[in-house]
Amino acid sequence: METKEFLRPRLVGRRFEKHGLPLDILRDFSVLDEMIRNIAISIYKEEHSKRLRIPRNFMDPISLQITGLEEGSTILKIMLVTSSLGLSPLLDCGAEYYAEQAKDRLIATIQAYGSNTPIGDKKLMTPSQLAMFNRFGCSLLEDEKIEFYINERDSNLAVLNKDIRKRLVEASSIKENYRESVYVYGIISELDLERRSFMINSLTNSRIPVAQYNAELEEDIIAAHGQYRKDQKVLIKGIGVKKNEKIVSIENVESIDLLEQCDIGYRIEELKQFKDGWYEDNKGSSFSEDALKKLKDLFDSFYPSDQEQPYLYPALDNIVQAEWDIGHWKVSVEIKLDDFSSSFLAVDINSDQAIEKDLMLSSEPGWNEMLKTLKELKEQC
């Protein structure tokens, strides 16, 4: 048995900054072995066009194994393990050679679709093989990518992110449905316990069917459905099937969160749906999705999850207003989405005492100042 380094893909993104590997990513890499074998067989057929069949058990002598993680975001150390399996040299068809060729073609394909140069007549993966990208990389989030070194002696990279992966799938034999990791906010309106499936009324699509969920999630799903009339909000994370940019179904549920009525993420998703003219007399412009995403990221980064959540209201002039009731204090913070400069106002309803501050919520110091003031108000009650 021989072992040699085969690939060192580097995973880049917030989830990988502590050099760990989220378990859902392993599902993607389980497809990699299938891709390499499929491409290797294609290359063998190209080089032996007169043969009617490939050799029996052609790729059986090799396997791909993850043997470790290295720092630098998270780098997977993938080894190629080759075993003779008792075959005589006369029956050895060079599985290791074709695996190496398949790896090069896989990386060349990713690089080609990630560049602006024409594909031309390069030897790349076939349309049916490109369809496997519908499973490989589907767990990548918006800020994440996988980097493959084309040549270990230089810094040239092939990068797989959500956009490039989408190009690969669109060029494949799959013409309609596209799979990717999704977060869906909504309310569970229908539940089929026998089939372990349900329907979620989402904020962006009216109704999205969820094909099947695992038994360990059933208690939370039943609880959410039981509170349907009380508008119980949920966040579903899973693998969604998309058609024409819309989620048409969720085929695998990874988690479900039952949310508070004023959940920040849910409310921001609602604000994304506001169109121009949402206010009376046709006033009010729609909010920038990028600015709303940054606002959510700031809350996620600096606002403690165990702290009482504010309710977010839309306001004119690209402002979102956060409001708290803290005992006899009414607190509001007007956040300008242009630069995240903010006006803090707390009013004591018993005495009309007011506290006013200007905060810059684009970075941590401003949030710390706001949280300190909120804590002081709470201690007075």
Side-chain angles (χ1 to χ4, degrees):
M1 184 177 292
E2 296 182 1
T3 302
K4 62 180 289 189
E5 186 173 284
F6 187 69
L7 270 173
R8 292 177 68 249
R10 180 172 179 256
L11 283 70
V12 180
R14 186 181 301 174
R15 289 195 295 170
F16 313 118
E17 288 175 353
K18 296 186 183 298
H19 318 301
L21 182 67
L23 292 179
D24 62 343
I25 293 290
L26 288 177
R27 173 184 55 218
D28 293 31
F29 277 91
S30 68
V31 183
L32 186 62
D33 184 86
E34 180 184 344
M35 295 175 84
I36 292 296
R37 291 173 185 275
N38 194 299
I39 299 168
I41 289 171
S42 289
I43 295 172
Y44 182 89
K45 289 179 177 178
E46 290 168 9
E47 295 184 358
H48 301 81
S49 57
K50 294 183 179 180
R51 290 195 61 147
L52 295 178
R53 298 183 182 87
I54 63 169
R56 203 168 99 186
N57 303 324
F58 169 53
M59 296 298 290
D60 282 4
I62 67 156
S63 67
L64 300 182
Q65 300 179 11
I66 298 175
T67 61
L69 300 177
E70 300 175 3
E71 294 187 5
S73 273
T74 296
I75 299 174
L76 274 67
K77 189 175 182 180
I78 300 178
M79 307 299 287
L80 178 69
V81 180
T82 307
S83 171
S84 65
L85 297 177
L87 297 176
S88 72
L90 292 176
L91 297 177
D92 183 3
C93 298
E96 180 180 330
Y97 164 80
Y98 287 104
E100 292 284 353
Q101 295 299 306
K103 174 189 70 176
D104 292 343
R105 184 169 293 190
L106 168 69
I107 293 174
T109 301
I110 295 172
Q111 185 193 36
Y113 280 86
S115 68
N116 294 321
T117 57
I119 300 300
D121 297 325
K122 299 176 185 176
K123 284 285 188 181
L124 302 178
M125 294 167 62
T126 66
S128 62
Q129 290 164 352
L130 292 177
M132 289 188 281
F133 282 102
N134 211 25
R135 290 181 290 139
F136 182 60
C138 64
S139 298
L140 289 174
L141 303 182
E142 205 66 50
D143 69 324
E144 297 175 353
K145 60 184 177 180
I146 306 173
E147 296 177 343
F148 297 89
Y149 281 101
I150 298 170
N151 188 328
E152 291 288 348
R153 290 169 291 184
D154 59 39
S155 58
N156 202 8
L157 293 172
V159 177
L160 182 68
N161 57 25
K162 290 189 75 168
D163 290 338
I164 295 169
R165 178 177 167 267
K166 187 175 182 181
R167 286 183 221 164
L168 289 158
V169 175
E170 287 176 342
S172 74
S173 55
I174 297 176
K175 297 303 180 185
E176 294 185 350
N177 297 334
Y178 174 71
R179 301 166 73 251
E180 69 176 11
S181 181
V182 296
Y183 289 86
V184 177
Y185 290 95
I187 299 170
I188 295 178
S189 58
E190 298 177 25
L191 174 61
D192 188 328
L193 289 173
E194 185 174 341
R195 295 183 179 179
R196 283 189 179 155
S197 63
F198 60 88
M199 190 78 68
I200 181 170
N201 293 3
S202 78
L203 290 172
T204 52
N205 301 27
S206 55
R207 290 156 62 82
I208 300 175
V210 180
Q212 195 170 32
Y213 61 84
N214 294 327
E216 64 269 18
L217 301 176
E218 187 163 271
E219 185 176 337
D220 284 340
I221 291 170
I222 291 174
H225 179 253
Q227 296 295 312
Y228 167 69
R229 297 293 179 190
K230 295 183 179 180
D231 200 32
Q232 174 60 63
K233 298 173 172 63
V234 298
L235 171 61
I236 302 288
K237 182 192 176 189
I239 300 299
V241 178
K242 284 190 166 184
K243 183 177 181 180
N244 298 327
E245 299 301 320
K246 289 188 176 182
I247 302 171
V248 294
S249 67
I250 300 174
E251 64 178 31
N252 179 46
V253 179
E254 296 171 6
S255 67
I256 174 172
D257 294 325
L258 277 64
L259 306 176
E260 298 178 15
Q261 288 300 311
C262 57
D263 180 78
I264 297 295
Y266 196 100
R267 186 56 178 154
I268 287 177
E269 201 64 31
E270 287 182 315
L271 294 176
K272 288 181 182 178
Q273 312 311 312
F274 279 50
K275 307 297 182 186
D276 288 344
W278 59 266
Y279 194 65
E280 60 188 33
D281 297 329
N282 209 35
K283 296 179 182 177
S285 300
S286 60
F287 297 97
S288 161
E289 286 203 17
D290 289 341
L292 288 173
K293 180 180 182 301
K294 183 175 180 180
L295 179 61
K296 182 181 184 301
D297 289 342
L298 289 167
F299 266 102
D300 289 345
S301 298
F302 304 126
Y303 193 87
S305 59
D306 58 353
Q307 191 97 347
E308 181 182 352
Q309 302 291 297
Y311 194 82
L312 300 184
Y313 292 94
L316 298 176
D317 301 322
N318 206 29
I319 290 173
V320 171
Q321 186 163 307
E323 296 188 359
W324 294 258
D325 286 331
I326 302 177
H328 49 82
W329 289 95
K330 295 285 187 181
V331 181
S332 67
V333 179
E334 289 188 350
I335 306 170
K336 296 180 180 179
L337 297 184
D338 297 328
D339 59 1
F340 293 91
S341 60
S342 306
S343 300
F344 179 99
L345 174 64
V347 177
D348 186 336
I349 60 175
N350 294 334
S351 65
D352 288 336
Q353 177 189 353
I355 300 172
E356 296 183 63
K357 294 185 177 185
D358 291 328
L359 302 171
M360 181 55 74
L361 294 183
S362 58
S363 58
E364 186 172 7
W367 287 84
N368 289 341
E369 177 67 19
M370 183 181 74
L371 290 168
K372 178 184 175 184
T373 307
L374 292 174
K375 180 180 178 183
E376 290 170 351
L377 295 177
K378 192 172 183 180
E379 290 173 348
Q380 293 182 28
C381 300

